Amino acid sequence: VQLQASGGGLVQSGGSLRLSCAASGFTLANYAIGWFRQAPGKEREGISCIRSFEQITYYASSVKGRFTISIDKAENTLFLQMNNLKPEDTAVYYCAADVALKAYGTPCSVDEDEYWYWGQGTQVTVSS
């Protein structure tokens, strides 16, 4: 199982970026997949997750309404569309997969202890 995150960069406040997380060794749409971020000097936080098969998503209040999580099943790739970026969004962004079997309809979680596999992280920097 591998996750490869990409798409980070430097953007001005109010701008947009789309992060990608390519998966291999398993099918993303069958499990809970999440995006996490870690800002300098802060703990890593979960910001969004998706259980694509049941069309379940979750967004932290800090990103709700600005970020959209999605999966391209054909490409087996996770995306995070980030709009109206703010300087406080500056962080290293990680994708992660929770491959434990869950009951149908179980909400996805952004508790990182539930995530087994992690991508390497991609840096997002938002300038003011």
Coordinates of all heavy atoms in Angstrom, one line a residue, residues 52-114:
S52 N -16.1 7.0 0.1 CA -16.7 7.3 -1.2 C -17.8 6.3 -1.5 O -18.8 6.7 -2.1 CB -15.6 7.2 -2.2 OG -16.1 7.3 -3.5
F53 N -17.6 5.1 -1.1 CA -18.7 4.1 -1.4 C -20.0 4.5 -0.9 O -21.1 4.2 -1.5 CB -18.2 2.7 -0.9 CG -19.2 1.6 -1.3 CD1 -19.1 1.1 -2.6 CD2 -20.1 1.0 -0.4 CE1 -20.0 0.0 -3.0 CE2 -20.9 0.0 -0.8 CZ -20.9 -0.5 -2.1
E54 N -20.0 5.1 0.3 CA -21.3 5.5 1.0 C -21.6 7.0 0.8 O -22.5 7.5 1.4 CB -21.3 5.1 2.5 CG -21.2 3.7 2.7 CD -19.9 3.3 3.5 OE1 -18.8 3.6 3.1 OE2 -20.1 2.7 4.6
Q55 N -20.7 7.7 0.0 CA -20.8 9.1 -0.2 C -20.9 9.9 1.1 O -21.7 10.8 1.3 CB -22.1 9.4 -1.0 CG -22.0 8.7 -2.4 CD -23.2 9.1 -3.3 OE1 -23.8 10.1 -3.1 NE2 -23.6 8.1 -4.1
I56 N -20.0 9.5 2.0 CA -19.9 10.2 3.3 C -18.7 11.0 3.3 O -17.6 10.6 2.9 CB -19.8 9.1 4.5 CG1 -21.1 8.3 4.6 CG2 -19.4 9.8 5.8 CD1 -21.0 7.2 5.6
T57 N -18.8 12.3 3.7 CA -17.7 13.2 3.8 C -17.8 13.9 5.2 O -18.8 14.0 5.8 CB -17.6 14.2 2.7 OG1 -18.9 15.0 2.7 CG2 -17.5 13.6 1.4
Y58 N -16.6 14.5 5.6 CA -16.6 15.3 6.8 C -15.5 16.4 6.5 O -14.5 16.2 5.9 CB -16.1 14.4 8.0 CG -15.7 15.3 9.2 CD1 -16.6 15.8 10.1 CD2 -14.3 15.6 9.3 CE1 -16.2 16.6 11.1 CE2 -13.9 16.4 10.4 CZ -14.9 16.9 11.3 OH -14.5 17.7 12.3
Y59 N -15.8 17.6 7.1 CA -14.9 18.7 7.0 C -14.8 19.4 8.4 O -15.8 19.6 9.1 CB -15.4 19.8 6.0 CG -15.5 19.3 4.6 CD1 -16.7 18.8 4.1 CD2 -14.4 19.3 3.7 CE1 -16.8 18.3 2.8 CE2 -14.5 18.8 2.4 CZ -15.7 18.3 2.0 OH -15.8 17.9 0.7
A60 N -13.6 19.7 8.8 CA -13.4 20.4 10.0 C -13.9 21.8 9.8 O -14.0 22.3 8.6 CB -11.9 20.5 10.3
S61 N -14.3 22.5 10.8 CA -14.9 23.8 10.7 C -14.0 24.8 10.1 O -14.4 25.8 9.4 CB -15.4 24.3 12.1 OG -14.3 24.3 13.0
S62 N -12.7 24.6 10.3 CA -11.7 25.5 9.7 C -11.6 25.5 8.2 O -11.1 26.5 7.6 CB -10.3 25.2 10.3 OG -10.0 23.8 10.0
V63 N -12.1 24.5 7.6 CA -12.1 24.4 6.1 C -13.4 24.2 5.4 O -13.5 24.3 4.2 CB -11.1 23.2 5.7 CG1 -9.8 23.4 6.3 CG2 -11.7 21.9 6.0
K64 N -14.4 24.0 6.2 CA -15.8 23.8 5.6 C -16.2 25.0 4.8 O -16.1 26.1 5.2 CB -16.8 23.5 6.8 CG -18.1 22.9 6.3 CD -18.9 22.4 7.5 CE -20.1 21.7 7.0 NZ -21.0 21.2 8.1
G65 N -16.7 24.6 3.6 CA -17.2 25.7 2.7 C -16.1 26.2 1.8 O -16.4 26.9 0.8
R66 N -14.8 25.9 2.1 CA -13.7 26.3 1.2 C -13.0 25.1 0.6 O -12.5 25.2 -0.6 CB -12.7 27.1 2.0 CG -13.2 28.3 2.7 CD -12.1 29.1 3.4 NE -11.5 28.4 4.4 CZ -10.2 28.2 4.5 NH1 -9.4 28.6 3.5 NH2 -9.6 27.5 5.5
F67 N -13.0 24.0 1.2 CA -12.3 22.8 0.7 C -13.3 21.7 0.3 O -14.3 21.6 0.9 CB -11.3 22.2 1.8 CG -10.1 23.0 2.1 CD1 -10.0 24.3 1.7 CD2 -9.1 22.5 3.0 CE1 -8.9 25.1 2.0 CE2 -8.0 23.2 3.3 CZ -7.9 24.5 2.9
T68 N -12.9 21.0 -0.7 CA -13.8 19.9 -1.2 C -12.9 18.6 -1.4 O -11.9 18.7 -2.1 CB -14.5 20.2 -2.5 OG1 -15.3 21.4 -2.3 CG2 -15.4 19.1 -2.9
I69 N -13.4 17.5 -0.8 CA -12.7 16.3 -0.9 C -13.4 15.4 -1.9 O -14.6 15.4 -2.0 CB -12.5 15.5 0.5 CG1 -11.6 14.4 0.4 CG2 -13.9 15.1 1.0 CD1 -11.3 13.8 1.8
S70 N -12.6 14.7 -2.7 CA -13.3 13.8 -3.7 C -12.3 12.7 -4.1 O -11.1 12.8 -3.8 CB -13.7 14.6 -5.0 OG -12.5 15.2 -5.6
I71 N -12.9 11.7 -4.8 CA -12.1 10.6 -5.3 C -12.4 10.4 -6.7 O -13.6 10.4 -7.1 CB -12.4 9.3 -4.5 CG1 -11.7 9.4 -3.1 CG2 -11.9 8.1 -5.2 CD1 -12.0 8.2 -2.2
D72 N -11.4 10.2 -7.5 CA -11.5 9.7 -8.9 C -11.3 8.2 -8.9 O -10.1 7.8 -8.8 CB -10.5 10.4 -9.8 CG -10.7 10.1 -11.3 OD1 -10.9 8.9 -11.6 OD2 -10.7 11.0 -12.1
K73 N -12.4 7.5 -9.1 CA -12.2 6.0 -8.9 C -11.4 5.4 -10.1 O -10.6 4.5 -9.9 CB -13.6 5.4 -8.9 CG -14.5 5.8 -7.7 CD -15.8 5.2 -7.7 CE -16.7 5.6 -6.5 NZ -18.0 5.1 -6.6
A74 N -11.5 6.0 -11.3 CA -10.8 5.4 -12.4 C -9.3 5.6 -12.2 O -8.5 4.7 -12.6 CB -11.2 6.1 -13.7
E75 N -8.9 6.7 -11.6 CA -7.5 7.0 -11.4 C -7.0 6.5 -10.0 O -5.8 6.6 -9.7 CB -7.2 8.5 -11.5 CG -7.4 9.1 -12.9 CD -7.0 10.5 -13.0 OE1 -6.4 11.1 -12.0 OE2 -7.3 11.1 -14.1
N76 N -8.0 6.1 -9.1 CA -7.7 5.7 -7.8 C -6.9 6.8 -7.1 O -5.8 6.5 -6.4 CB -6.9 4.3 -7.8 CG -7.0 3.6 -6.4 OD1 -8.0 3.7 -5.8 ND2 -6.0 2.9 -6.1
T77 N -7.4 8.0 -7.2 CA -6.7 9.1 -6.7 C -7.7 10.0 -5.8 O -8.8 10.2 -6.2 CB -6.1 10.0 -7.8 OG1 -5.2 9.2 -8.5 CG2 -5.4 11.2 -7.3
L78 N -7.2 10.4 -4.7 CA -7.9 11.3 -3.8 C -7.5 12.8 -4.1 O -6.3 13.0 -4.4 CB -7.5 11.0 -2.4 CG -8.1 11.9 -1.3 CD1 -9.5 11.6 -1.0 CD2 -7.3 11.7 0.0
F79 N -8.5 13.7 -4.1 CA -8.2 15.1 -4.3 C -8.7 15.9 -3.1 O -9.6 15.6 -2.4 CB -8.9 15.6 -5.6 CG -8.4 14.9 -6.8 CD1 -9.1 13.9 -7.4 CD2 -7.2 15.3 -7.4 CE1 -8.7 13.2 -8.5 CE2 -6.8 14.6 -8.6 CZ -7.5 13.6 -9.1
L80 N -8.1 17.1 -3.0 CA -8.5 18.1 -2.1 C -8.5 19.4 -2.8 O -7.4 20.0 -3.0 CB -7.7 18.2 -0.8 CG -8.3 19.1 0.3 CD1 -9.6 18.6 0.9 CD2 -7.3 19.3 1.4
Q81 N -9.6 19.9 -3.2 CA -9.7 21.2 -3.8 C -9.8 22.3 -2.7 O -10.7 22.2 -1.9 CB -11.0 21.3 -4.7 CG -11.1 22.6 -5.4 CD -10.1 23.0 -6.4 OE1 -9.7 22.1 -7.2 NE2 -9.6 24.2 -6.4
M82 N -8.9 23.2 -2.8 CA -8.8 24.2 -1.7 C -9.0 25.6 -2.3 O -8.1 26.0 -3.2 CB -7.4 24.1 -1.0 CG -7.1 22.7 -0.5 SD -5.6 22.7 0.5 CE -4.4 23.1 -0.7
N83 N -10.0 26.2 -2.0 CA -10.3 27.6 -2.5 C -10.3 28.6 -1.4 O -10.4 28.2 -0.2 CB -11.7 27.6 -3.1 CG -11.9 26.6 -4.3 OD1 -10.9 26.4 -5.0 ND2 -13.0 26.1 -4.5
N84 N -10.2 29.8 -1.8 CA -10.1 30.9 -0.8 C -9.1 30.7 0.3 O -9.4 30.8 1.5 CB -11.5 31.2 -0.2 CG -11.6 32.4 0.6 OD1 -10.8 33.4 0.4 ND2 -12.6 32.5 1.5
L85 N -7.9 30.3 -0.1 CA -6.9 29.9 0.9 C -6.5 31.1 1.7 O -6.5 32.3 1.3 CB -5.7 29.4 0.1 CG -5.9 27.9 -0.3 CD1 -4.9 27.6 -1.4 CD2 -5.7 27.0 0.9
K86 N -6.1 30.8 3.0 CA -5.8 31.9 3.9 C -4.4 31.6 4.5 O -3.9 30.4 4.4 CB -6.7 31.9 5.1 CG -8.2 32.0 4.7 CD -9.1 31.9 5.9 CE -10.6 32.0 5.5 NZ -11.5 31.9 6.7
P87 N -3.6 32.5 4.9 CA -2.3 32.3 5.5 C -2.3 31.2 6.6 O -1.3 30.4 6.7 CB -1.9 33.6 6.1 CG -2.6 34.6 5.2 CD -3.9 34.0 4.9
E88 N -3.4 31.1 7.3 CA -3.4 30.0 8.4 C -3.6 28.6 7.8 O -3.6 27.7 8.5 CB -4.6 30.4 9.4 CG -5.9 30.6 8.7 CD -6.2 32.1 8.6 OE1 -5.3 32.9 8.2 OE2 -7.3 32.5 8.9
D89 N -3.8 28.5 6.5 CA -3.8 27.2 5.8 C -2.4 26.7 5.5 O -2.3 25.5 5.1 CB -4.6 27.3 4.6 CG -6.1 27.5 4.8 OD1 -6.7 27.0 5.7 OD2 -6.7 28.3 4.0
T90 N -1.4 27.5 5.8 CA -0.1 27.1 5.5 C 0.3 25.9 6.4 O 0.2 26.0 7.6 CB 0.9 28.3 5.8 OG1 0.7 29.3 4.8 CG2 2.4 27.8 5.7
A91 N 0.7 24.8 5.8 CA 1.0 23.6 6.5 C 1.6 22.6 5.5 O 1.5 22.8 4.3 CB -0.2 23.1 7.2
V92 N 2.1 21.5 6.1 CA 2.3 20.3 5.3 C 1.1 19.5 5.3 O 0.5 19.2 6.4 CB 3.5 19.5 5.8 CG1 3.7 18.2 5.0 CG2 4.8 20.3 5.8
Y93 N 0.6 19.1 4.1 CA -0.7 18.3 4.0 C -0.3 16.9 3.7 O 0.5 16.5 2.9 CB -1.5 18.9 2.9 CG -2.2 20.2 3.3 CD1 -1.5 21.4 3.5 CD2 -3.6 20.3 3.5 CE1 -2.1 22.5 3.9 CE2 -4.2 21.4 3.9 CZ -3.4 22.6 4.1 OH -4.0 23.7 4.5
Y94 N -1.1 16.0 4.5 CA -0.9 14.6 4.3 C -2.2 13.9 4.0 O -3.2 14.3 4.5 CB -0.4 14.0 5.7 CG 0.9 14.5 6.2 CD1 0.9 15.6 7.0 CD2 2.1 13.9 5.9 CE1 2.1 16.1 7.5 CE2 3.3 14.4 6.3 CZ 3.3 15.5 7.2 OH 4.5 16.0 7.6
C95 N -2.1 12.9 3.1 CA -3.2 12.0 2.9 C -3.0 10.7 3.7 O -1.8 10.3 3.9 CB -3.5 11.7 1.5 SG -2.1 11.0 0.6
A96 N -4.1 10.0 4.1 CA -3.9 8.8 4.9 C -5.1 7.9 4.6 O -6.2 8.4 4.3 CB -3.8 9.1 6.4
A97 N -4.9 6.6 4.8 CA -6.0 5.7 4.6 C -6.2 4.8 5.8 O -5.3 4.3 6.5 CB -5.6 4.8 3.4
D98 N -7.5 4.7 6.1 CA -8.0 3.8 7.2 C -8.6 2.5 6.5 O -9.7 2.6 6.0 CB -9.1 4.5 8.0 CG -9.8 3.5 9.0 OD1 -9.3 2.4 9.2 OD2 -10.8 4.0 9.6
V99 N -7.8 1.4 6.5 CA -8.2 0.3 5.7 C -8.9 -0.8 6.6 O -9.1 -1.9 6.2 CB -7.0 -0.4 5.0 CG1 -6.5 0.6 3.9 CG2 -5.9 -0.8 5.9
A100 N -9.3 -0.4 7.8 CA -10.0 -1.3 8.7 C -11.5 -1.5 8.1 O -12.0 -0.5 7.6 CB -10.1 -0.8 10.1
L101 N -12.0 -2.6 8.2 CA -13.4 -2.8 7.8 C -14.3 -2.2 8.7 O -14.2 -2.4 10.0 CB -13.7 -4.3 7.6 CG -12.9 -5.1 6.5 CD1 -13.2 -6.6 6.6 CD2 -13.2 -4.5 5.2
K102 N -15.3 -1.5 8.2 CA -16.3 -0.8 9.0 C -17.7 -1.1 8.6 O -17.9 -1.4 7.4 CB -16.1 0.8 9.0 CG -14.7 1.2 9.4 CD -14.5 1.2 10.9 CE -13.1 1.6 11.3 NZ -12.8 3.0 11.0
A103 N -18.6 -1.0 9.5 CA -20.0 -1.2 9.1 C -20.5 -0.2 8.1 O -20.0 1.0 8.1 CB -20.9 -1.2 10.3
Y104 N -21.4 -0.6 7.2 CA -21.9 0.3 6.2 C -22.5 1.5 6.9 O -23.3 1.4 7.8 CB -22.9 -0.4 5.3 CG -23.4 0.4 4.2 CD1 -22.7 0.4 3.0 CD2 -24.6 1.2 4.3 CE1 -23.2 1.2 1.9 CE2 -25.0 2.0 3.2 CZ -24.3 1.9 2.0 OH -24.8 2.7 1.0
G105 N -22.2 2.7 6.4 CA -22.7 3.9 6.9 C -22.0 4.5 8.1 O -22.3 5.6 8.6
T106 N -20.9 3.9 8.5 CA -20.0 4.4 9.6 C -19.4 5.8 9.1 O -18.8 5.8 8.0 CB -18.9 3.5 9.9 OG1 -19.4 2.2 10.4 CG2 -18.0 4.1 11.0
P107 N -19.6 6.8 9.9 CA -19.0 8.1 9.5 C -17.5 8.0 9.5 O -16.9 7.2 10.2 CB -19.4 9.0 10.6 CG -20.6 8.4 11.2 CD -20.4 6.9 11.1
C108 N -16.9 8.7 8.6 CA -15.4 8.7 8.5 C -14.9 9.6 9.7 O -15.6 10.4 10.2 CB -14.9 9.2 7.2 SG -15.3 10.9 6.7
S109 N -13.7 9.3 10.1 CA -13.1 10.0 11.3 C -11.9 10.7 10.8 O -11.2 10.3 9.9 CB -12.8 9.0 12.3 OG -12.0 9.5 13.3
V110 N -11.5 11.8 11.5 CA -10.2 12.4 11.3 C -9.3 12.2 12.6 O -8.4 13.0 12.8 CB -10.4 13.9 11.0 CG1 -11.0 14.1 9.6 CG2 -11.2 14.7 12.1
D111 N -9.6 11.1 13.3 CA -8.7 10.7 14.4 C -7.5 10.0 13.7 O -7.7 8.9 13.2 CB -9.5 9.8 15.3 CG -8.6 9.3 16.4 OD1 -7.4 9.5 16.4 OD2 -9.1 8.6 17.3
E112 N -6.4 10.6 13.8 CA -5.3 10.0 13.0 C -4.9 8.6 13.5 O -4.2 7.9 12.8 CB -4.0 10.9 13.1 CG -3.4 11.2 14.4 CD -2.2 12.1 14.3 OE1 -2.4 13.3 14.1 OE2 -1.1 11.6 14.3
D113 N -5.3 8.3 14.8 CA -4.9 6.9 15.3 C -5.7 5.8 14.5 O -5.3 4.7 14.6 CB -5.3 6.8 16.8 CG -4.4 7.7 17.6 OD1 -3.2 8.0 17.2 OD2 -4.8 8.0 18.8
E114 N -6.7 6.2 13.8 CA -7.4 5.2 13.0 C -6.9 5.0 11.6 O -7.3 4.1 10.9 CB -8.9 5.6 12.9 CG -9.6 5.7 14.2 CD -11.1 5.8 14.1 OE1 -11.6 5.5 13.0 OE2 -11.8 6.1 15.1

